[in-house]
Amino acid sequence: MNQTVPPKPLRIGSLEFDIPVELAPMAGITNTAYRRLCREYGDGVFVSEMITSRALVERTPATLRLIQFHESETPRSMQLYGVDPKTIADAVRMVVAEDLADHIDLNFGCPVPKVTRKGGGSALPWKQDLFAAIVQAAVRAAGDVPLTIKMRKGVDSDHLTFQDAGKMAADAGVSAIALHGRTAADHYSGKADWDAIAQLVQLVRERNPEIPVLGNGDIWCAQDAIDMVEHTDCDGVVVGRGCLGRPWLFGDLEAVFRARRGEITWEEARQRTAAPALGEVMAAVRRHTELLIDFFGGDERHACRDIRKHMAWYFKGYGVGGDVRRALAGVESLEHMAEIFGTMDPQMQYPGEGAEGPRGRAGRPKRPHLPEGWLDSRTCDSASFSALLEAETDEASTSGG
């Protein structure tokens, strides 16, 4: 372990975070219920689901529910997505004026087709003029509220954007930059390119050493975070799929960063690493469900439908049997959950490696879905921009963000 340079607290504008770990925004996952649960295990930056800027400005009901923060969540971090500099600036001004969040993040990293085919997410930085206009407008609109960005390496290996985007974001005055070491084409396949993160760290520090760079990709356990920091010299890490069904990972991460800082020994950090028996996992699932009930305004049935997608992640590696897994995937109420849990052995020990490692579907590299002719030029002409605005308007009116 390299303990010669203790890590500094993570500074994002005027905000300071003792533990340099961020929960990545994940659609349908990082609502206030899951953020609250993760906070109960460890410290860090806990960011909302991606919020469509146009839907926010238009105050669609679904979006107004998604931007809820519990009173215990402080500071409050919200991620916005969009393709129009004016709409994004309007959304940022709304967040600031109505005190909806303490930190705003912009999404330039989403690889899913419904986003990239509209020119958004990880496709957008290819259009340098549009990317610069969005970031500059958002930073101005944010004022004293820290504004950060998340991005990927680029569209594919032949169309990388992270270095140019990093320079433009640093020059615009963002408060932090996070890089996922994959392209849109990679989706979640293969290994994350930590060398690209190291390159961005060096580039941004030469531009503005006050802007922290965070690394994202393949943080499956606490040791991975330390390895990333030491490999890239990044200022912090972003955790996404690694915490699915493992909210206690934030406790593990807090322990290793405190050990690296010399506040506890490495042996103490190892002792604090979670190895939950099955009963502890069941308690976490029930707590998660209770928080979802609160999030859904007391609607227990809705909360139980939502928790179903987490079940395979929570019980990964545990020998609970196929019948139990199928029952959990169809849980209908807390009472029903208790009945299922009653058939399980709470003393079953942590399965170790079987419960660890990658979670979620990695898939294979795939050709990104992009607007027609998107890669022909690094600039966005008026016809292309009009098409983007039309697509964004349609999405806001149908999905509500």
Side-chain angles (χ1 to χ4, degrees):
M1 297 289 182
N2 177 10
Q3 302 178 52
T4 59
V5 184
K8 300 175 292 185
L10 176 62
R11 289 187 178 275
I12 299 179
S14 59
L15 303 175
E16 183 174 302
F17 300 88
D18 193 34
I19 305 301
V21 173
E22 181 174 308
L23 168 64
M26 291 180 281
I29 304 293
T30 57
N31 50 39
T32 186
Y34 194 62
R35 297 194 306 267
R36 288 172 65 188
L37 181 66
C38 291
R39 282 177 183 269
E40 292 178 0
Y41 287 95
D43 199 2
V45 188
F46 299 89
V47 187
S48 75
E49 296 181 68
M50 185 176 75
I51 305 298
T52 303
S53 57
R54 185 174 294 278
L56 178 60
V57 171
E58 295 177 358
R59 300 179 184 272
T60 64
T63 298
L64 295 180
R65 180 174 59 79
L66 286 176
I67 65 171
Q68 293 177 25
F69 289 93
H70 187 262
E71 60 184 12
S72 65
E73 294 189 80
T74 178
R76 302 159 297 166
S77 297
M78 180 187 299
Q79 187 182 72
L80 298 178
Y81 149 77
V83 298
D84 177 18
K86 181 182 182 304
T87 304
I88 289 181
D90 287 345
V92 170
R93 276 190 288 269
M94 176 179 167
V95 171
V96 174
E98 300 181 22
D99 189 27
L100 300 177
D102 306 300
H103 158 224
I104 301 168
D105 185 62
L106 298 185
N107 182 299
F108 297 107
C110 184
V112 302
K114 68 173 289 187
V115 171
T116 59
R117 70 164 54 100
K118 297 178 175 66
S122 51
L124 197 145
W126 180 253
K127 300 298 187 182
Q128 294 174 303
D129 54 341
L130 181 58
F131 174 82
I134 287 174
V135 175
Q136 290 166 9
V139 169
R140 287 195 300 269
D144 294 333
V145 173
L147 186 130
T148 63
I149 69 166
K150 283 192 184 66
M151 59 185 185
R152 285 194 168 221
K153 288 171 54 182
V155 177
D156 54 38
S157 58
D158 295 322
H159 301 88
L160 299 178
T161 59
F162 73 98
Q163 293 188 356
D164 291 337
K167 293 175 184 177
M168 288 186 284
D171 291 346
V174 300
S175 295
I177 301 171
L179 177 65
H180 187 146
R182 289 183 171 90
T183 64
D186 292 331
H187 210 65
Y188 295 103
S189 65
K191 287 189 175 182
D193 181 3
W194 289 5
D195 288 339
I197 297 169
Q199 292 171 27
L200 184 65
V201 169
Q202 184 63 34
L203 182 153
V204 171
R205 285 188 183 158
E206 291 173 355
R207 212 84 176 183
N208 186 339
E210 299 301 315
I211 299 176
V213 174
L214 286 73
N216 183 201
D218 296 349
I219 304 295
W220 306 114
C221 67
Q223 184 59 51
D224 291 336
I226 297 300
D227 291 345
M228 176 184 279
V229 169
E230 295 186 352
H231 183 91
T232 68
D233 201 28
C234 64
D235 299 283
V237 301
V238 180
V239 180
R241 293 175 300 145
C243 71
L244 296 175
R246 299 180 71 216
W248 44 83
L249 178 58
F250 289 94
D252 297 354
L253 289 162
E254 180 171 336
V256 295
F257 277 107
R258 292 200 183 283
R260 193 167 187 265
R261 194 179 294 159
E263 297 174 1
I264 62 175
T265 67
W266 287 103
E267 180 58 32
E268 288 174 317
R270 279 189 284 272
Q271 291 174 358
R272 294 184 188 184
T273 299
L278 188 58
E280 296 173 78
V281 179
M282 290 189 282
V285 172
R286 183 178 178 91
R287 174 62 176 158
H288 190 172
T289 308
E290 291 169 345
L291 292 170
L292 282 168
I293 293 172
D294 188 34
F295 174 61
F296 288 118
D299 189 340
E300 183 175 332
R301 185 170 292 275
H302 193 168
C304 287
R305 287 199 303 270
D306 196 79
I307 197 66
R308 292 172 185 172
K309 63 174 173 276
H310 296 266
M311 291 299 192
W313 298 323
Y314 272 114
F315 295 101
K316 181 179 185 290
Y318 290 87
V320 298
D323 289 343
V324 169
R325 292 183 183 277
R326 284 186 287 274
L328 289 169
V331 67
E332 297 178 353
S333 65
L334 287 177
E335 182 179 0
H336 185 206
M337 183 182 292
E339 291 174 0
I340 301 170
F341 285 171
T343 69
M344 300 163 67
D345 177 11
Q347 303 303 317
M348 183 184 293
Q349 292 303 297
Y350 183 65
E353 187 176 341
E356 298 168 0
R359 34 238 302 130
R361 295 180 180 177
R364 297 179 179 179
K366 58 195 73 175
R367 184 177 179 179
H369 294 254
L370 302 168
E372 184 176 356
W374 189 253
L375 297 178
D376 294 345
S377 169
R378 296 300 307 269
T379 58
C380 189
D381 60 34
S382 58
S384 297
F385 186 60
S386 296
L388 296 185
L389 293 185
E390 182 177 354
E392 184 180 57
T393 301
D394 290 344
E395 181 184 5
S397 63
T398 58
S399 72

